Amino acid sequence: MISFVVVAALSPILIAVLKKFRLIQPIRKELPSDHQLKKGTPLMFGMILFVGVIMATLYSPTPLMFFLAITYILFSFVGFLDDFWKASRQDPGGVSGKTKLVFQFAFTGVLLFYVINELGIDTTIHIYKNMIIELPIIFYVVFITLFVVGSANAINFTDGLDGLLGVVAIPTYFFFFMISERVEVQLFCLIMIGCLLGFLIYNIYPAKAFMGDTGSLAIGGSLSFLAVLEKVEILIPILFLIYFAEQLSVILQVSSFKLTRKRIFRMTPIHYHFSLKYGWSETTIVAVFGCVSWIGTFMCLAYWKYLLHL
């Protein structure tokens, strides 16, 4: 409740500051006409979610909470660089993809080293109750690094419509709140849900400000590492279904065009396809994707409770 109220109260101030310094979203020319109307909307609004990180660390200053906070901050830093480049130069391309990936792989490597050596996370993949696959540490590190970076970027792709990522991310944080036996994880997830609810007041259609990579990459990094901490890697294809669908649509589109010069979708990420091909409104797409995310969450909760959890 406190995180919700604080974010809701401080958001107008941050939006005013972003407008004053002209930190606004440049719009790609190929986007639909309704998106062109959003030109001039403040970017980097995801900074307001730092309220949750600060509150969580102040309330529970433990090593695990500091790890969750640092994870969020490091991935947010990568997103901030991209957003600041876009806003200050009015360049929709932002920082190069290679530069962002270098930062993400470096940060993931450092964080993963801490997870294994300090938090005692083992190198196993849990499949079904006592059915566990134990991987050699080098394979585990490579697999998890690719998973974290890939998932963070998949979640970043989801931030393309007003309120979409916030609506889809709340069920994911709720899942980790429900399954975790760590008080820090429960607290962090609950505070993030409160922050996102406060954030959505200003981000649902028509958005008064955009989250930007500052928020979306941070959410992506934190959710990915929560999956590692809670050892639920096996559930990720369902739990992250919307995020992976967004990312996979981009991969398929690019691959198809390079090989055949034909496009599979009208536009990617896939949420644009539903708008251009089927005429769905932004609010309809957000509502449907949010429902799918909740369904995936409850399916994962059932699997975790009856098939995975000892």
Side-chain angles (χ1 to χ4, degrees), residues 256-274:
S256 176
F257 189 76
K258 285 184 176 180
L259 293 173
T260 66
R261 311 305 295 176
K262 295 181 179 179
R263 292 180 171 86
I264 300 173
F265 306 101
R266 289 285 297 274
M267 189 174 181
T268 57
I270 200 170
H271 53 254
Y272 293 125
H273 177 75
F274 287 100

Side-chain angles (χ1 to χ4, degrees), residues 277-299:
K277 185 173 179 63
Y278 302 109
W280 288 14
S281 67
E282 284 196 48
T283 52
T284 299
I285 296 170
V286 170
V288 171
F289 279 33
C291 288
V292 172
S293 185
W294 276 110
I295 291 170
T297 293
F298 287 122
M299 289 174 63

Side-chain angles (χ1 to χ4, degrees), residues 7-8 10-24 40-45 47-48 199 201-203 207-210:
V7 167
L10 293 180
S11 288
I13 299 173
L14 177 58
I15 292 172
V17 171
L18 293 172
K19 285 183 177 179
K20 180 179 180 180
F21 288 97
R22 300 293 296 169
L23 296 173
I24 56 178
T41 304
L43 186 60
M44 302 162 63
F45 184 40
M47 287 192 292
I48 196 66
F199 164 86
I201 294 175
Y202 305 92
N203 187 241
K208 297 179 177 63
F210 295 143

Side-chain angles (χ1 to χ4, degrees), residues 23-28 38-43 83 86-87 90 92 210 212:
L23 296 173
I24 56 178
Q25 171 76 58
I27 306 297
R28 290 156 49 196
K38 299 180 182 183
K39 189 174 183 179
T41 304
L43 186 60
D83 284 343
K86 290 176 183 176
Q90 284 300 286
F210 295 143

Side-chain angles (χ1 to χ4, degrees), residues 226-246:
L226 283 172
V228 175
L229 289 172
E230 297 300 328
K231 307 302 296 179
V232 292
E233 297 93 343
I234 190 66
L235 299 178
I236 292 306
I238 299 175
L239 187 64
F240 285 16
L241 178 62
I242 292 294
Y243 314 131
F244 286 164
E246 297 273 27

Side-chain angles (χ1 to χ4, degrees), residues 214-228:
T214 304
S216 59
L217 270 178
I219 290 173
S222 70
L223 287 174
S224 300
F225 267 102
L226 283 172
V228 175

Side-chain angles (χ1 to χ4, degrees), residues 79-184:
F80 175 83
L81 292 179
D82 193 45
D83 284 343
F84 189 77
W85 181 285
K86 290 176 183 176
S88 61
R89 298 171 179 254
Q90 284 300 286
D91 174 16
V95 176
S96 72
K98 290 182 179 179
T99 301
K100 290 188 288 186
L101 284 175
V102 167
F103 276 113
Q104 290 176 64
F105 275 109
F107 291 157
T108 300
V110 172
L111 292 167
L112 197 54
F113 176 84
Y114 182 83
V115 163
I116 294 172
N117 290 278
E118 300 298 328
L119 297 182
I121 301 299
D122 57 45
T123 60
T124 60
I125 305 294
H126 294 234
I127 307 297
Y128 169 80
K129 291 195 175 180
N130 294 320
M131 186 184 296
I132 297 173
I133 299 175
E134 187 165 353
L135 298 176
I137 188 167
I138 185 65
F139 290 155
Y140 181 82
V141 168
V142 171
F143 170 72
I144 294 300
T145 299
L146 292 174
F147 157 70
V148 170
V149 174
S151 297
N153 283 283
I155 292 171
N156 184 40
F157 277 131
T158 309
D159 182 36
L161 299 178
D162 295 358
L164 180 57
L165 180 55
V167 168
V168 173
I170 286 174
T172 318
Y173 277 116
F174 177 76
F175 170 80
F176 290 114
F177 166 73
M178 290 295 293
I179 71 165
S180 183
E181 296 177 354
R182 298 178 174 93
V183 175
E184 297 93 337

